Amino acid sequence: MQTSNPTRTGGTVSDHDEPDYRQALERFLASHPAYQNTTHLDELRAKDYSRLDRLGHVYLDYTGGGLYAESQLDAHHALLRDGVFGNPHSHNPSSLAATVLVDEARETVLSFFNADPAEYDVIFTLNASHALKLVGESYPFGEGSCYLVSYDNHNSVNGIREFARRGGAEVVYVPVRKPDLRLDADLIERGLTQQTPCPHKLFAYPAQSNFSGVRHPLEWIERAQSLGWDVLLDSAAFTPTNRLDLSVVKPDYVPLSFYKMFGYPTGLGALVARREALAKLRRPWFAGGTITLASVQDAGWYHLAPGHTGFEDGTVDYLGLPAVTIGLNHLRSVGIEAIHERVTALADWLLAEMTTLQHSNGAPMVRIFGPTDTVDRGATIAFYLLDPAGEVYDVHRVEQLAGELRISLRTGCFCNPGDGEIAHEISRDEMAGCFAESDVPVTLNDCQRLIHDATGKVPNTIRLSLGIASNFADVHRFIRFAEDFRDRDAPSTMEATETR
Ligand SMILES: Cc1ncc(COP(=O)(O)O)c(C=O)c1O
């Protein structure tokens, strides 16, 4: 058996000319005919994402951050170059020009999600986490109220529990189940029906998991609302590759990050909220821009502005917001359905290849965390690479080796501890060791080492995810990279981690 350290280049863009690549592509196209409907995305990649191939990058971290088209930059820069824009809180011409752009961005968000402006409002935020914080800090959590939340959530959704607890609310978690990491519909129903006496009830779950790629049923929104719940649908990982139609499903609070959808700009997100649900929120403070009037002669005198205005502290990013309009129009012209179709086909091929990779002794080379087919799942795949004896190859070493080939993968827990704890079978007692001393912060690496030393478990994961500019060459190159681990021993995984 060879020692660990795959060195082959894992493929370059010139792979396209190799018979192995051409045959694989032919087989892929034959088994995924719908992919042919998305060939305009190949043209788009050549024109608008040409830097990927020019620089030899295989970008497989779209759930971390989307990629922007070069035309988005051109359009935004041209607009800034040819306009004079001032702070929108005024009535002079440059201010009014900025107001037009901000209003246009708000209208474009609503129309992109097919949201009726009479029903929904858009609050611009820094990112999805900021949108979540607005809900958490303003939701009327109090004695007897409830926060029902799925295990499968980003930490920015988990963090709302701190506001809930502080207000005296009961926090109830619904676990995901192995091996698919799906939520059990019966447990959701039980959670929704058991908490009925609460005066204010918030139910939060992600439309698509940022860990496993699982898409959770959107039918739960209406069911929960019929039982008196307000529903927060975390759509940050869903909207880059799926249609969210707010005329069909009507969650109360929808947090988003725009860079995940179209790459640029970073630092802008939104809370799309039902106007009725927004009126329920109580802001803990006021700021410039959020009030109609305040006085210093009585500490209680101020009037919060209605709707989105009351939630947008200070000056909005009025120069960045036109780039949101440009980005959404870009997605619209490409077609979210085409992106969905393309990444689903590529993920289907990847899952089939990954689950059949074997060492010479017949042992599997990959363990997937989550569904191994594309039914109700997106193109985000969490996995380990395994050696012939079933040992886990150190994920940081894998990331490093991939990086040497300019393949961008992600490793860690992806801010989704619930999926990670279930995927890696970490019990409550095993986790407890990481929280034994509350005054000394324990890092993720410390905690992973503690658990590994105590149990031999490797609570760490690799993730790849596809998006707007993904193509067959990307996924083929990843599989060639993974094949290089065949018949190689895993080094002592945690020791390799320490070198980072
Ligand atoms: C499902 C989900 N929710 C929320 C977030 C937080 O997004 P941001 O870091 O942009 O605030 C992320 C980020 O990865 C995510 O994947």
Side-chain angles (χ1 to χ4, degrees):
M1 195 178 291
Q2 301 162 63
T3 52
S4 58
N5 202 3
T7 50
R8 206 180 72 187
T9 60
T12 66
V13 257
S14 63
D15 285 353
H16 297 205
D17 303 325
E18 290 179 11
D20 162 47
Y21 174 80
R22 283 204 311 275
Q23 283 162 14
L25 177 61
E26 273 165 30
R27 281 197 301 273
F28 166 71
L29 292 176
S31 58
H32 298 86
Y35 188 81
Q36 306 276 23
N37 304 333
T38 71
T39 48
H40 65 289
L41 280 158
D42 291 316
E43 289 152 30
L44 182 79
R45 172 161 167 151
K47 182 168 75 71
D48 241 348
Y49 299 83
S50 60
R51 62 195 187 279
L52 284 171
D53 294 321
R54 192 171 65 249
L55 303 173
H57 274 274
V58 175
Y59 188 77
L60 299 174
D61 190 21
Y62 286 86
T63 299
L67 293 184
Y68 52 83
E70 283 137 41
S71 60
Q72 284 172 247
L73 303 184
D74 295 342
H76 189 215
H77 292 166
L79 187 123
L80 298 184
R81 212 172 22 244
D82 295 333
V84 180
F85 303 107
N87 189 310
H89 289 151
S90 191
H91 297 282
N92 61 56
S94 51
S95 176
L96 290 172
T99 302
V100 167
L101 295 181
V102 172
D103 290 348
E104 190 184 14
R106 217 180 297 279
E107 283 156 20
T108 310
V109 173
L110 287 170
S111 67
F112 184 86
F113 292 110
N114 215 3
D116 179 351
E119 188 175 15
Y120 277 96
D121 202 347
V122 176
I123 296 157
F124 287 118
T125 61
L126 299 174
N127 46 37
S129 301
H130 179 204
L132 288 157
K133 183 162 181 257
L134 284 180
V135 177
E137 70 185 9
S138 312
Y139 192 80
F141 288 121
E143 287 302 329
S145 58
C146 307
Y147 184 40
L148 181 70
V149 60
S150 61
Y151 263 36
D152 180 359
N153 262 316
H154 190 274
N155 268 335
S156 300
V157 178
N158 289 322
I160 290 179
R161 73 187 189 205
E162 293 307 299
F163 292 113
R165 278 165 15 116
R166 199 170 306 161
E170 187 186 5
V171 178
V172 177
Y173 267 105
V174 181
V176 290
R177 290 251 165 93
K178 278 198 87 176
D180 278 2
L181 302 181
R182 292 193 188 278
L183 287 159
D184 182 325
D186 290 341
L187 288 183
I188 292 287
E189 178 67 16
R190 209 180 307 161
L192 291 173
T193 46
Q194 271 181 5
Q195 316 291 329
T196 36
C198 313
H200 297 291
K201 320 190 277 190
L202 182 63
F203 171 43
Y205 73 103
Q208 179 170 311
S209 173
N210 72 321
F211 185 106
S212 63
V214 163
R215 278 200 302 269
H216 299 294
L218 299 182
E219 294 74 32
W220 292 340
I221 299 166
E222 200 178 342
R223 173 67 183 149
Q225 286 168 334
S226 74
L227 294 165
W229 291 85
D230 298 307
V231 179
L232 188 161
L233 184 74
D234 182 359
S235 303
F238 180 83
T239 49
T241 56
N242 298 279
R243 166 75 60 205
L244 178 64
D245 186 334
L246 294 178
S247 71
V248 176
V249 290
K250 297 180 183 275
D252 294 284
Y253 307 111
V254 182
L256 303 167
S257 276
F258 291 118
Y259 71 90
K260 288 196 191 289
M261 296 178 71
F262 40 80
Y264 172 86
T266 52
L268 267 171
L271 174 63
V272 182
R274 283 185 58 242
R275 289 180 184 277
E276 213 176 295
L278 204 55
K280 201 170 181 177
L281 301 182
R282 296 280 166 266
R283 292 225 64 196
W285 82 320
F286 66 86
T290 66
I291 44 169
T292 56
L293 180 71
S295 167
V296 293
Q297 300 197 47
D298 186 303
W301 283 353
Y302 74 95
H303 291 295
L304 201 70
H308 60 260
T309 313
F311 289 84
E312 289 176 346
D313 298 340
T315 303
V316 290
D317 183 357
Y318 60 92
L319 293 184
L321 282 171
V324 169
T325 307
I326 292 164
L328 287 171
N329 286 337
H330 174 69
L331 280 192
R332 225 196 298 247
S333 72
V334 173
I336 204 82
E337 281 76 16
I339 299 168
H340 178 91
E341 193 147 44
R342 167 166 281 231
V343 298
T344 303
L346 294 172
D348 188 62
W349 184 84
L350 262 179
L351 287 163
E353 291 289 313
M354 289 167 83
T355 48
T356 47
L357 282 178
Q358 284 186 348
H359 293 285
S360 302
N361 66 1
M365 292 176 66
V366 177
R367 182 182 306 149
I368 308 267
F369 299 107
T372 52
D373 61 28
T374 48
V375 178
D376 293 332
R377 71 115 69 227
T380 297
I381 303 175
F383 63 99
Y384 277 159
L385 290 181
L386 302 171
D387 86 353
E391 289 291 313
V392 180
Y393 208 96
D394 178 68
V395 301
H396 296 305
R397 185 86 182 110
V398 174
E399 184 182 26
Q400 187 184 13
L401 291 166
E404 285 167 15
L405 304 173
R406 276 174 276 182
I407 298 174
S408 293
L409 299 168
R410 202 171 190 89
T411 58
C413 76
F414 325 125
C415 289
N416 187 328
D419 268 358
E421 286 165 30
I422 296 292
H424 301 303
E425 298 177 351
I426 313 297
S427 69
R428 183 187 166 87
D429 284 349
E430 287 159 8
M431 273 318 292
C434 301
F435 297 96
E437 293 182 44
S438 55
D439 49 341
V440 188
V442 175
T443 66
L444 179 64
N445 270 358
D446 293 338
C447 180
Q448 288 169 343
R449 198 174 304 112
L450 267 173
I451 290 173
H452 179 260
D453 291 349
T455 65
K457 294 174 186 171
V458 184
N460 214 336
T461 317
I462 312 173
R463 181 182 77 185
L464 63 78
S465 50
L466 309 178
I468 188 166
S470 296
N471 66 9
F472 184 72
D474 290 337
V475 294
H476 184 258
R477 223 169 133 194
F478 169 75
I479 290 296
R480 287 194 63 189
F481 167 72
E483 280 171 346
D484 275 344
F485 289 80
R486 180 166 289 128
D487 295 340
R488 295 177 190 276
D489 266 340
S492 168
T493 53
M494 298 318 266
E495 275 165 31
T497 306
E498 274 165 17
T499 62
R500 287 171 63 83

